[in-house]
């Protein structure tokens, strides 16, 4: 499904550089509560997402084996576990040996290759005991061709010019049949299926596949019905502001990922980052919209490249920005092990787990986020404020500050060492280096040296 997602990302990725003198703050009209009318679950404010591809997460490729890894994830410190679809997979028109997890045959069952419904309940129960919340990947837009719904409710599906049930139009998703959301009975069935997983199984929310292919009013209805059961977290695989109004807590930030790739590959400089955060995003998205920042996920790893292929020597800088800038960060399983392999999508291809420096980096960043409310998502955190420097084509510098803490970040997005002088700005004062613990005083003439692709992060606490 990567080709159309790449095209959609390109269509949405209009990254403008901020012209000189543009205000580097969030305009009042985009920060008003009326643009985000849902209440984010309190446990999502400082959360870090962790995506689990159950087929590849363990050698066994099962829910029970994944459950045994929960203590390790607790040590990593992540909060919301996103499980790729666990339902039975279609056989008709299947791609590859095992098929796509996004070709669902039965919405209210568990794929026997992964385990049983009891295994799912046990996984969720232990996850909850360890302090995690669990969201399930949900495929509302289409089903497998051999889903019983095709024969029982053929009127639930869209038709091509010949009057035949079709795959989602203008895609290469030949293994799935497209739903027609003008059908009220389909909407009722899908809403009740989602409620089943929350009410009967214990799921805490959903990541919704190609959410923009499904009408927003359906998602808004579902969010209200699920919240009536208990507060849920909703992530949309889409990039549209209106989805945040009454449906989704978080949306994909394809533009961030593609812009970050361009910077890493030398096709853009640090000015693109200022343009993204302070011009494009600050003027388009409400402050309380959680924008998901990621350096890998299942689609990107399998179809576009590993984290190392996508970001090269800039990888750690990109990861640090994903945690210290605005938004909600994602870790894809295997990143912390330095996975250098494009995981097969339709076959078994277990991750090779190993000790790797990225595990330490992610652990430190999760703790940094949890311990500094300025870094939290949306209105729970502080907005980014630009800090001017003498090498703005090379270095991206900003501070996030509230009444409890301030986090100052400066990142060199070039392959050469640079010396920069920070100008007058909202960053002045005493901080400690988040890794070395050394105290650093900043004023309007502080000079800093940064190595190639180096990020320096400083923290001040006001408690």
């Amino acid at each position: 499904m990567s080709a159309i997602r790449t095209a959609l990302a390109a269509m949405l990725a209009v990254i403008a550089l901020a012209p000189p003198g543009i205000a580097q703050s969030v305009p009042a009209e985009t920060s008003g509560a009326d643009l985000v009318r849902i209440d984010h679950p309190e446990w999502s404010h400082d959360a870090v997402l962790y995506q689990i591809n159950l087929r590849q997460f363990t050698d066994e490729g099962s829910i029970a084996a994944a459950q045994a890894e929960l203590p390790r994830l607790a040590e990593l410190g992540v909060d919301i576990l996103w499980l790729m679809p666990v339902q039975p997979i279609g056989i008709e028109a299947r791609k590859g040996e095992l098929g796509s997890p996004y070709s669902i045959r039965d919405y209210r069952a568990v794929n026997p290759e992964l385990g049983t419904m009891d295994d799912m309940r046990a996984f969720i129960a232990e996850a909850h005991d360890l302090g995690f919340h669990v969201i399930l990947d949900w495929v509302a837009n289409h089903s497998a061709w051999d889903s019983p719904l095709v024969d029982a409710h053929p009127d639930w599906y869209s038709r091509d010019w010949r009057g035949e049930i079709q795959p989602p139009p203008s895609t290469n998703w030949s293994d799935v049949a497209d739903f027609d959301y003008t059908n009220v009975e389909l909407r009722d069935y899908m809403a009740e299926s989602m409620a089943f997983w929350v009410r009967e199984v214990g799921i805490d929310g959903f990541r919704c596949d190609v959410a923009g292919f499904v009408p927003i009013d359906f998602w808004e209805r579902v969010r209200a019905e699920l919240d009536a059961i208990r507060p849920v977290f909703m992530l949309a695989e889409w990039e549209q502001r209106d989805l945040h109004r009454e449906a989704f807590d978080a949306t994909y930030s394809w533009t961030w990922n593609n812009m970050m790739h361009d910077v890493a590959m030398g096709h853009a400089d640090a000015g693109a980052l200022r343009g993204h955060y302070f011009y494009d995003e600050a003027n388009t998205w409400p402050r309380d919209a959680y924008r998901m920042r990621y350096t890998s996920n299942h689609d990107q790893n399998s179809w576009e490249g590993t984290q190392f292929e996508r970001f090269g020597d800039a990888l750690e800088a990109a990861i640090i920005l994903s945690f210290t800038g605005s938004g909600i960060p994602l870790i894809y399983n295997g990143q912390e092990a330095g996975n250098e392999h494009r995981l097969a999508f339709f076959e078994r291809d277990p991750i090779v787990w190993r000790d790797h420096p990225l595990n330490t980096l992610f652990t430190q960043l999760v703790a940094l986020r949890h311990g500094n409310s300025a870094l939290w998502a949306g209105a729970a955190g502080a907005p980014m404020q630009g800090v001017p420097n003498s090498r703005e084509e090379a270095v991206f510098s900003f501070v996030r500050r509230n009444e409890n803490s301030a986090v100052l970040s400066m990142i060199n997005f070039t392959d050469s060492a640079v010396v920069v002088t920070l100008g007058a700005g909202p960053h002045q004062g005493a901080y400690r280096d988040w890794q070395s613990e050394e105290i650093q005083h900043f004023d309007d003439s502080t000079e800093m040296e940064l190595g190639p692709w180096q990020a320096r992060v400083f923290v001040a606490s006001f408690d």
Side-chain angles (χ1 to χ4, degrees), residues 219-373:
W219 294 125
E220 292 180 342
R221 165 199 169 172
V222 164
R223 177 57 183 262
E225 292 178 0
L226 296 179
D227 273 346
I229 300 172
R230 69 172 182 279
V232 294
F233 181 85
M234 300 287 284
L235 164 65
E237 190 206 18
W238 207 251
E239 191 159 17
Q240 182 180 354
R241 186 182 74 172
D242 290 349
L243 288 170
H244 290 278
R245 183 180 57 203
E246 293 183 340
F248 289 96
D249 300 277
T251 52
Y252 270 53
S253 188
W254 282 317
T255 51
W256 184 91
N257 184 272
N258 289 329
M259 173 271 305
M260 192 66 258
H261 170 71
D262 285 344
V263 172
M265 296 296 106
H267 304 314
D269 64 20
L273 296 161
R274 275 183 291 279
H276 176 81
Y277 283 110
F278 299 136
Y279 181 72
D280 181 25
E281 191 148 303
N283 286 285
T284 303
W285 298 85
R287 267 206 62 212
D288 211 21
Y290 293 9
R291 310 285 288 118
M292 188 181 76
R293 317 297 187 186
Y294 62 94
T295 47
S296 190
N297 61 34
H298 65 287
D299 278 319
Q300 189 160 83
N301 169 267
S302 293
W303 307 115
E304 298 175 38
T306 68
Q307 57 184 338
F308 300 106
E309 291 177 280
R310 288 279 294 171
F311 300 104
D313 292 337
L315 176 62
E316 289 195 15
I319 290 171
I320 290 171
L321 180 57
S322 74
F323 276 79
T324 60
S326 62
I328 183 169
L330 168 73
I331 302 171
Y332 179 50
N333 57 194
Q335 282 195 270
E336 72 272 39
N339 174 42
E340 298 175 342
H341 178 59
R342 294 191 185 193
L343 300 174
F345 200 79
F346 305 118
E347 326 292 341
R348 288 274 296 119
D349 189 13
I351 295 165
V352 177
W353 291 100
R354 59 177 179 168
D355 292 330
H356 193 275
L358 283 178
N359 187 73
T360 299
L361 177 64
F362 278 120
T363 303
Q364 290 175 333
L365 285 168
V366 172
L368 178 71
R369 180 176 174 84
H370 287 166
N372 294 276
S373 60

Side-chain angles (χ1 to χ4, degrees), residues 73-90:
L73 297 183
E75 291 181 3
L76 183 61
V78 294
D79 307 280
I80 301 176
L81 306 181
W82 154 17
L83 299 180
M84 287 174 64
V86 301
Q87 295 97 329
I89 295 170

Side-chain angles (χ1 to χ4, degrees), residues 75-272:
E75 291 181 3
L76 183 61
V78 294
D79 307 280
I80 301 176
L81 306 181
W82 154 17
L83 299 180
M84 287 174 64
V86 301
Q87 295 97 329
I89 295 170
I91 297 174
E92 184 179 344
R94 170 177 285 191
K95 292 185 176 183
E97 179 183 357
L98 298 178
S100 169
Y102 296 86
S103 175
I104 290 179
R105 196 167 70 243
D106 184 346
Y107 280 88
R108 304 181 191 180
V110 170
N111 184 350
E113 296 171 16
L114 301 177
T116 66
M117 188 64 79
D118 285 341
D119 291 333
M120 269 298 299
R121 291 189 173 98
F123 177 96
I124 293 168
E126 182 167 349
H128 286 169
D129 286 345
L130 290 172
F132 298 111
H133 290 84
V134 183
I135 64 173
L136 177 63
D137 219 323
W138 195 260
V139 188
N141 180 68
H142 46 263
S143 77
W145 287 101
D146 50 357
S147 167
L149 300 177
V150 174
D151 290 331
H153 302 284
D155 56 322
W156 289 8
Y157 292 85
S158 72
R159 305 281 172 159
D160 63 16
W161 63 274
R162 296 166 297 188
E164 297 178 358
I165 296 175
Q166 62 181 337
S170 302
T171 74
N172 62 354
W173 307 342
S174 58
D175 57 338
V176 293
D178 186 60
F179 282 128
D180 177 5
Y181 270 80
T182 64
N183 191 293
V184 174
E185 291 182 352
L186 166 64
R187 288 173 174 244
D188 291 343
Y189 169 84
M190 194 62 65
E192 177 53 33
S193 295
M194 296 177 77
F196 164 82
W197 285 92
V198 173
R199 186 179 56 242
E200 305 296 333
V201 188
I203 286 292
D204 299 299
F206 298 92
R207 176 268 186 187
C208 298
D209 189 62
V210 287
F213 282 13
V214 176
I216 291 179
D217 66 321
F218 170 76
W219 294 125
E220 292 180 342
R221 165 199 169 172
V222 164
R223 177 57 183 262
E225 292 178 0
L226 296 179
D227 273 346
I229 300 172
R230 69 172 182 279
V232 294
F233 181 85
M234 300 287 284
L235 164 65
E237 190 206 18
W238 207 251
E239 191 159 17
Q240 182 180 354
R241 186 182 74 172
D242 290 349
L243 288 170
H244 290 278
R245 183 180 57 203
E246 293 183 340
F248 289 96
D249 300 277
T251 52
Y252 270 53
S253 188
W254 282 317
T255 51
W256 184 91
N257 184 272
N258 289 329
M259 173 271 305
M260 192 66 258
H261 170 71
D262 285 344
V263 172
M265 296 296 106
H267 304 314
D269 64 20

Side-chain angles (χ1 to χ4, degrees), residues 405-457:
S405 63
V407 179
L408 170 63
S409 302
M410 55 192 77
I411 308 174
N412 177 14
F413 281 105
T414 73
D415 59 4
S416 301
V418 297
V419 176
V420 298
T421 301
L422 301 182
H427 62 291
Q428 298 180 19
Y431 294 75
R432 59 178 175 81
D433 186 291
W434 76 298
Q435 291 175 312
S436 71
E437 299 291 328
E438 293 181 0
I439 301 300
Q440 173 72 49
H441 292 269
F442 290 93
D443 55 30
D444 58 5
S445 61
T446 302
E447 193 173 79
M448 298 293 296
E449 182 175 353
L450 297 169
W453 307 110
Q454 184 182 10
R456 298 288 305 275
V457 179

